[in-house]
Structures are given as structure tokens and as C-alpha cells.
Amino acid sequence: MNLHIVVCVKQVPVSNNVKIDPVTKNLVRSSEPGVMNPFDQNAIEAALKLKHRYGGKVTLISMGPKNFEITLRQGLAMGCDDAILLSSRAFGGADTLATGYVLSQAIKALDKVHLVFFGRQSIDADTGQVGPIVAEFLDWPQVTYVSKITPLSEEIIEATRLMEHMEQTIEVKLPAIFTVRSELNEPRYPTPRNIQLSYQKTIETWDEHSMNLDLNRIGIKGSPTVVRKVWSPSKPKKMTQSLGRDVDHAVQQLLVILRSQNIL
Amino acid sequence: MVNKDIWIYAEQHQQMVQPVTYQLITKANAIKNDKKVVVVLFETPEKNIEEDIKLYGPDEIIVIKDKRIKDAPDSLIADLIAQLSKQRKPNSILFGATVIGRSISARLQAKLLTGLTADCLDLSFEDDLLIQTKPSYGDNIMCEIICPHHFPQMATVRPNIFVAQKTKNNEVTITEVKNLKFKENTNIKVNEERPLLSKLDSIANANRVIAVGRGMSHPDGIQLAFKLATKLGAKIGVTRPLTDLAPFSVDDQIGQSGSSIAPKFLLTLGVHGAVQFTTGIGKADVSVAVNNNPKAPIFDVVDYSFVGDAQAFAEAFLKIIQ
């Protein structure tokens, strides 16, 4: 059997150092186009390992503006086989529900898919919601926050899910969805040869007419949540007291302070 | 008609209610006005976890007792809450922003086709509208998010942001629900669950924390920090760059995408103080920063400062308390 594996990836800002324009109240993002969400590289690595073992192909899917091709190209250079960019004004303003809906419809439009990988969360919005939403819309089992994958056969995978204070070993029958942690693997670097090859691979662009979509469920219209206000948190400045400049004196003083407050 | 219930999912690890559940009950009680705080609890028949939850004073606990709860996958729990939500139509459903909370709530959101806000730092109500404050871009931006036309309004809330308090109000209605359908799914099976002992004693609950940053990240510095920590009975936490350095991992990370801490005493050594880090230390009682850069932003958010070499400070401090 050849596995068809999908990896959903997102492009995130190079730096999270965004600010609010004090006049327009809009987000001022750096003009740099962005990079692949780090956890998504772990997802690609996991997909490529399974492909290597069982054969098949890895398809990348991303939803966003045209410049998200940078991230898809990087994924192709890591060794993925083809890529689809879901890009249209109609998708704009989507929250996690609308995003998950479009991704799940795109996956349904592909030739039979056996597994879908996601990174555990994106580092800009930090929700981790889209993977489980897609799993629900496809009616597939999910294993989130995966730190280890052991294929038992081409159809059954055992995965370790790493939580705050415990670990679970979960056995799933494909098709299934996995969201992966950085502990899972060390993502490969694109080799020069793969970078070259990646330019022979195509990135398809799909819009709202490329798949079967209920137009009321996409973009802003399909998004139940509304951002009402955005601001930069003011750092609460403390009245900081100096312990002086001499190190021995400073630790003495600290000891007195800690004793007076019953800390030591 | 949507009713006025604020639901809280009782998260458990190995049948122990997680602190975030209690924190959410206390917070919900504080903002509820005319609403009711209802805990949704799944447990196996021999358990009586509702007795623990009662102490925190929700108005009601909905209990689903069934042996199939043991090792239930996310999809089953989400499906049961969805059935319950369709029967009772709560105003809102809150989860901890934990692995389990995030995984079940997102699946539930898709079942109920409603909004879900991740990782909230604050919640309040304007009449029946839940105002959800969440950070974005690594805590550099705060957003106020609402879900005005869909119910229930759903949110996950970051652990250790609110303080749980037991109440004297023990007038808690216990409602056992027996009419839910357990959909069997043979495609997923939780085979084993193991506690991670080393993580049980986490920095989030530690009374004393030494935070180590890049300015103290050479092997000698780390060794010294551990010595000092042993002497003080402190836990070591680190900034994001150090999580890549043995023996640390993301579990030791303080700040956004790591843990928020609330120790009685915090000593930061060689920590510069990026916002992503400092958002995690606001609850420390007494905080001290040591850094050789007098302009380091860490000095704006601590009680006591020492401008100088972190290692020299740690050595001197170790000597004086020995």
C-alpha cells in the first residue's frame, strides 16, 4: 500500500515583535514575508519518515496569501512531493473554525488520504485548534501533542502523546490526524539537490471554486469569533530597589530582606 | 433558548482534578453575576470526585458516571459534551488551556459550530456576552475576542493565571446525567497512561525559583545555579533559548509558551527580560534580578536589582547561606 500523507503548514512572522500603530490601531508587522511555523517542520519530518518506510507521497497544504509559497517551497525542498496553496480573498479573515472547514474540504477533494499531520500549534496565534477541528470535520480519530510515532503496520500507528504531567500510548487505525511536538524528531535540512528538485515540483493554487465549499462557512462570514480590540500590553513597571554595587554587600542585603519576609 | 450556565470542564489526570479546574471555578464565580457556575464531570462509577470539586463552590456539578470514561479518547469526551450542550444549551464552556483542554475543546467547537478562543488570560461578562482576552504574537499583542452570534461561547484559559479559592458555600446541586449515548470508536484506543514523575513537581507550583538566562548559560553557570537551587530548595526555570540546552526542555521554560510561575521568591540570573519571559513572572512575591547590563528590561519588572556578574553573585550568595 502506498500512503498518501498530507501535512498542513502555516507561515508565521519571522519575529513576534509586532506593535500597534498608535494612530491607526492596526498591527504593524514587519515587511519580511515570514517563515514556516517551526512545529510544522516536525510534522513534515514525521511524514517523510513514514513515506520512506511505506512508500507513497506527501502533499503539503497551506491557506494564506500568495507569499506563503515560500513556506511550501521549503517543504518541497525538504522532500515533500506536491503542494497546494488555498488562496483567495474569500478565505480572508478566517478564524480557526473557518480555516479548519476549508482545510478539511481540501483534504476531501484529494485522492484518498491516509494521514494528516499538523504542528502542535502555530507560534503566532498559538491556538492548536485547527488539527482537532479538521479531525472532527473528517470524522477521523486524532492524536495531539505527539512525541513519538511507532508504526505497527501500514494501517495501525502507535503514538505517544506527551502532556503536562503524563504520557499516553495511543493506538490508532488510519485514517487519522496527528499534531506533533518538537520532541518528536529533528527536522531535516533541505539538501542542495532537493532544493533544485523542488523547483520542478508544482504548487497548485486553489480558491473557493476548486473544491466543494459552503460559502457561508468560509472567511469572515464563516468565523464565529470577532476581534473587538487589539492593544500592546503595557509593562507594569515596578519600583525596583538596587542592592548596591558590591557583590558581597548585595548578597548580605538580600539575605536580610529574605529573612525579614520569612522566605529564608 | 440559551440559558445562563457557565460550564467548566473538570480536567483530570489519572482521576485527579487539575488545579486549573479549581482556578476556573473561582474565576467564574467572581464574574458570573446572574449566571450559574456548572462543572461538567466525567468519572468512573466508583469515584466521587464531585466531593473534591464541591469545596470550591460551583452552583452545580453535572456528573456522568460510566466505566467507559476510563481511557476515553478526546473524540468521545467531545461527543458527550456536545450531546449535553445540545440538551441544556449553556451560555459558555470553559476549559484549561492544557493539552487535554485544547484538544477536546477544539473538537467540540467543530461539533457545535461555534467560536473558541485559545489561551485566555482574562474573562469577563457584558450581560451574556463573554469578553475574552488572549495574547497573540508571543504575548506581544493582546486581543479582546467575542463570539456574539453563536452559542455556547467557548474558551480555553491559561493555567495558573487565577488563584483557586475554597468557599464556604457548599450548597452545590449534584445532577447525575444518564441519557448520553456513548459512541463506540474502535479506531482509537488509549493503551497506557504513565505519570511523568519528574514533571509533577513543576516550576509552576514551586515556592522558590531560580531563573537562568543566556548570561548564565555556560556549563559552570548552570552547575552553580543547580547548587544554589539545592541549597535554597528552589526549582530551576529557564528562558526560551536555554530549553535547547541539556538538561533543560520546554517543561522548564518560564513565560509565554512555557509556564507562568508564582513563587514566594524568584531570583533571575543572567536573564535579559524579553516580554515573552516577563509575562510569566508577574506573580512572584519577591523578585531579584542579576544582570550585567544595567539597561536590561528585566530590571523594570523586579523588586530588587543587582547590576553585575551573575556567576559572581550566585557564588557569593551560595557562600553566605552555607
Side-chain angles (χ1 to χ4, degrees):
Chain A
M1 186 173 98
N2 278 335
L3 289 177
H4 187 190
I5 306 169
V6 166
V7 186
C8 294
V9 295
K10 184 179 181 186
Q11 192 160 301
V12 296
V14 176
S15 149
N16 268 336
N17 219 343
V18 287
K19 295 203 163 57
I20 307 278
D21 184 308
V23 180
T24 65
K25 304 284 177 204
N26 286 328
L27 275 189
V28 185
R29 290 165 73 158
S30 86
S31 52
E32 291 168 88
V35 293
M36 188 191 298
N37 180 47
F39 296 117
D40 300 351
Q41 299 182 22
N42 300 102
I44 289 176
E45 180 63 36
L48 292 173
K49 281 211 171 90
L50 281 179
K51 176 194 159 181
H52 180 72
R53 178 153 178 175
Y54 293 112
K57 72 166 182 171
V58 178
T59 301
L60 293 166
I61 302 183
S62 190
M63 184 169 113
K66 203 72 187 156
N67 75 25
F68 273 35
E69 283 192 358
I70 298 167
T71 284
L72 291 172
R73 193 65 68 189
Q74 187 192 339
L76 293 174
M78 285 174 76
C80 296
D81 298 281
D82 45 31
I84 300 165
L85 179 61
L86 310 173
S87 194
S88 162
R89 280 203 176 277
F91 299 150
D95 69 3
T96 54
L97 188 71
T99 304
Y101 172 66
V102 175
L103 287 175
S104 65
Q105 291 303 102
I107 292 163
K108 284 180 191 169
L110 296 173
D111 292 337
K112 188 177 164 49
V113 173
H114 302 94
L115 293 101
V116 180
F117 281 106
F118 286 83
R120 57 180 271 186
Q121 68 204 61
S122 67
I123 59 162
D124 53 351
D126 254 337
T127 75
Q129 285 166 203
V130 176
I133 291 170
V134 170
E136 175 59 32
F137 285 148
L138 296 174
D139 199 16
W140 291 2
Q142 71 187 41
V143 189
T144 55
Y145 298 84
V146 169
S147 63
K148 195 177 165 199
I149 289 178
T150 314
L152 301 180
S153 72
E154 288 169 27
E155 287 177 331
I156 296 176
I157 287 188
E158 188 185 86
T160 301
R161 182 196 210 190
L162 178 57
M163 302 147 111
E164 291 83 2
H165 308 299
M166 64 176 181
E167 255 178 12
Q168 288 178 325
T169 308
I170 299 176
E171 199 179 300
V172 269
K173 189 160 174 268
L174 302 185
I177 289 222
F178 299 85
T179 79
V180 308
R181 305 181 66 120
S182 57
E183 289 84 352
L184 175 64
N185 56 37
E186 199 60 54
R188 68 193 63 188
Y189 287 102
T191 60
R193 184 180 143 72
N194 270 338
I195 292 173
Q196 222 170 19
L197 281 176
S198 79
Y199 283 94
Q200 292 160 23
K201 298 172 185 170
T202 51
I203 298 178
E204 278 182 46
T205 302
W206 289 14
D207 64 14
E208 65 275 27
H209 307 295
S210 312
M211 55 201 136
N212 185 15
L213 286 177
D214 175 349
L215 298 183
N216 287 315
R217 292 181 63 184
I218 66 173
I220 291 180
K221 224 175 168 185
S223 300
T225 55
V226 177
V227 180
R228 196 165 73 160
K229 205 165 99 187
V230 193
W231 70 97
S232 307
S234 57
K235 282 185 273 175
K237 274 214 174 189
K238 278 205 174 184
M239 293 299 292
T240 305
Q241 203 179 320
S242 170
L243 294 174
R245 290 156 86 171
D246 175 67
V247 68
D248 291 314
H249 179 253
V251 295
Q252 278 288 359
Q253 223 190 322
L254 179 58
L255 195 64
V256 171
I257 293 161
L258 295 179
R259 288 208 170 122
S260 71
Q261 306 207 24
N262 286 326
I263 291 170
L264 274 187
Chain B
M1 257 298 280
V2 171
N3 71 26
K4 294 203 174 247
D5 292 357
I6 307 166
W7 283 10
I8 295 163
Y9 171 71
E11 178 170 340
Q12 300 159 61
H13 286 185
Q14 317 235 297
Q15 314 228 28
M16 291 275 287
V17 179
Q18 293 302 292
V20 68
T21 302
Y22 298 137
Q23 293 158 12
L24 281 172
I25 296 171
T26 302
K27 176 65 181 176
N29 269 332
I31 61 168
K32 67 180 179 181
N33 293 323
D34 59 341
K35 290 178 234 357
K36 258 173 65 186
V37 176
V38 180
V39 175
V40 178
L41 168 68
F42 296 90
E43 63 185 356
T44 47
E46 76 282 3
K47 287 278 172 181
N48 280 305
I49 297 170
E50 54 275 26
E51 294 304 318
D52 301 336
I53 296 175
K54 252 184 178 174
L55 304 174
Y56 293 84
D59 296 291
E60 185 183 353
I61 304 173
I62 296 177
V63 190
I64 298 93
K65 282 181 189 274
D66 194 291
K67 61 178 190 308
R68 287 166 289 186
I69 291 305
K70 194 173 179 298
D71 299 331
D74 300 341
S75 47
L76 177 60
I77 300 290
D79 189 63
L80 294 169
I81 302 176
Q83 292 177 49
L84 205 57
S85 174
K86 283 173 187 161
Q87 286 173 14
R88 300 183 173 231
K89 304 200 168 24
N91 164 286
S92 44
I93 310 182
L94 310 178
F95 292 81
T98 55
V99 167
I100 289 189
R102 286 175 184 248
S103 305
I104 294 175
S105 62
R107 190 126 197 170
L108 178 62
Q109 171 195 18
K111 282 179 187 288
L112 300 174
L113 298 176
T114 185
L116 169 63
T117 303
D119 204 24
C120 293
L121 298 182
D122 200 10
L123 299 170
S124 62
F125 277 101
E126 282 173 14
D127 295 322
D128 291 338
L129 185 68
L130 182 63
I131 316 298
Q132 305 156 91
T133 303
K134 80 154 295 220
S136 206
Y137 298 101
D139 289 1
N140 280 319
I141 295 290
M142 289 295 180
C143 308
E144 199 174 272
I145 295 187
I146 52 173
C147 175
H149 305 298
H150 294 72
F151 287 93
Q153 307 166 83
M154 291 176 52
T156 64
V157 180
R158 195 181 291 185
N160 303 320
I161 296 290
F162 307 118
V163 178
Q165 267 166 342
K166 293 186 180 172
T167 59
K168 294 205 173 70
N169 161 38
N170 295 329
E171 290 288 303
V172 183
T173 312
I174 308 268
T175 311
E176 202 176 328
V177 172
K178 293 183 168 169
N179 63 355
L180 302 183
K181 258 175 77 185
F182 281 66
K183 279 190 201 148
E184 213 179 325
N185 188 342
T186 50
N187 293 337
I188 181 161
K189 212 164 69 194
V190 178
N191 282 339
E192 204 198 337
E193 228 170 64
R194 294 173 299 280
L196 297 171
L197 289 172
S198 60
K199 313 289 185 216
L200 280 173
D201 198 11
S202 70
I203 45 170
N205 308 317
N207 263 328
R208 296 168 188 181
V209 174
I210 296 177
V212 181
R214 249 195 292 218
M216 183 87 172
S217 62
H218 42 90
D220 290 350
I222 290 173
Q223 206 189 1
L224 184 60
F226 271 105
K227 267 194 208 157
L228 189 57
T230 311
K231 192 70 204 165
L232 286 170
K235 285 261 144 203
I236 300 255
V238 295
T239 58
R240 190 167 194 150
L242 271 77
T243 58
D244 294 331
L245 214 68
F248 303 115
S249 76
V250 283
D251 296 307
D252 306 301
Q253 188 191 331
I254 297 171
Q256 190 269 328
S257 76
S259 302
S260 294
I261 58 170
K264 290 203 162 54
F265 172 53
L266 168 69
L267 172 63
T268 78
L269 297 171
V271 172
H272 184 68
V275 190
Q276 290 90 321
F277 173 84
T278 55
T279 47
I281 63 166
K283 294 232 160 106
D285 282 350
V286 175
S287 52
V288 183
V290 182
N291 197 301
N292 55 18
N293 175 4
K295 294 208 173 102
I298 188 73
F299 290 130
D300 293 337
V301 295
V302 292
D303 301 306
Y304 300 97
S305 65
F306 180 76
V307 178
D309 182 55
Q311 194 164 339
F313 186 92
E315 267 163 13
F317 194 36
L318 186 61
K319 209 163 105 194
I320 196 172
I321 57 174
Q322 250 164 1

